Amino acid sequence: MNHKQKALYTLFGAAIMLMGLSVGSLVCPPVIALKEKVLDEIYCTGLTVINSSGEPAIVLRTDETLGNGLVIHTPRGEPALLLVADETANSVAVTDKSGEPAVLLRTSDLANRVIVRSPLGKDGVRLSAGKVANRVTVSNPEETNAVQLYADEVANRVTVHNQVGIIRWEAP
């Protein structure tokens, strides 16, 4: 095959490619969600916005088992803020530098909770408002109850616990 034939085949291939691109653009309209210069609705089951380093910055997702969620990442790519809505509850979690949940807000049919965790990942303070009782619990570093405030159908009371969680004082 000489150079003239090679050039002819290359030109023929380029012409076929251009025809394919032309037909493709006519048959498949571009995916543009613009309406009068305003971005309109986009339908998808997930969306990831990446930062300039290619790391996820914002992730939107929907999943039948995990629920619907939004995750905002730090510039290094670790999860920083999570919002989740699933069959059992709605949750918001703010993570620490290692990506572990540090502050949790959770709603469910039984109770609404706020949980603050120590840098070791153990519950430090829990606030709960439920159908049966409302409670504030302060835990020691080993995640054992230290002080609890209750308000329920029986009574309003305070309990103070020792290091292993045994009640040492209670009022009333």
Side-chain angles (χ1 to χ4, degrees):
M1 185 181 290
N2 61 29
H3 291 294
K4 188 175 183 179
Q5 289 174 327
K6 288 179 183 178
L8 186 60
Y9 282 121
T10 302
L11 185 61
F12 182 65
I16 290 174
M17 180 190 72
L18 288 174
M19 285 191 305
L21 290 173
S22 300
V23 170
S25 68
L26 294 174
V27 174
C28 299
V31 182
I32 298 175
L34 289 176
K35 184 177 184 180
E36 298 177 14
K37 296 186 180 184
V38 176
L39 189 63
D40 204 3
E41 293 183 42
I42 297 174
Y43 294 91
C44 61
T45 57
L47 179 65
T48 301
V49 177
I50 59 172
N51 61 20
S52 59
S53 304
E55 296 289 329
I58 302 170
V59 177
L60 292 166
R61 66 159 169 76
T62 182
D63 185 284
E64 288 185 23
T65 55
L66 299 175
N68 302 323
L70 167 69
V71 181
I72 298 176
H73 294 265
T74 66
R76 294 185 313 268
E78 295 99 2
L81 178 67
L82 296 90
L83 295 123
V84 177
D86 59 26
E87 292 295 324
T88 60
N90 300 319
S91 305
V92 176
V94 179
T95 65
D96 58 18
K97 293 290 184 186
S98 65
E100 294 298 317
V103 179
L104 300 157
L105 294 110
R106 185 170 171 87
T107 65
S108 68
D109 289 339
L110 298 176
N112 300 318
R113 295 182 188 92
V114 176
I115 301 170
V116 180
R117 291 190 172 150
S118 72
L120 299 173
K122 298 187 178 188
D123 289 0
V125 178
R126 289 177 298 210
L127 292 97
S128 176
K131 289 183 176 179
V132 178
N134 298 323
R135 181 182 303 182
V136 175
T137 303
V138 178
S139 301
N140 66 22
E142 298 302 316
E143 203 173 24
T144 305
N145 292 342
V147 177
Q148 289 187 311
L149 301 164
Y150 296 89
D152 59 24
E153 295 172 352
V154 177
N156 298 328
R157 60 191 186 279
V158 177
T159 59
V160 177
H161 305 252
N162 66 9
Q163 287 300 105
V164 294
I166 298 172
I167 297 175
R168 302 303 294 171
W169 181 82
E170 184 174 21

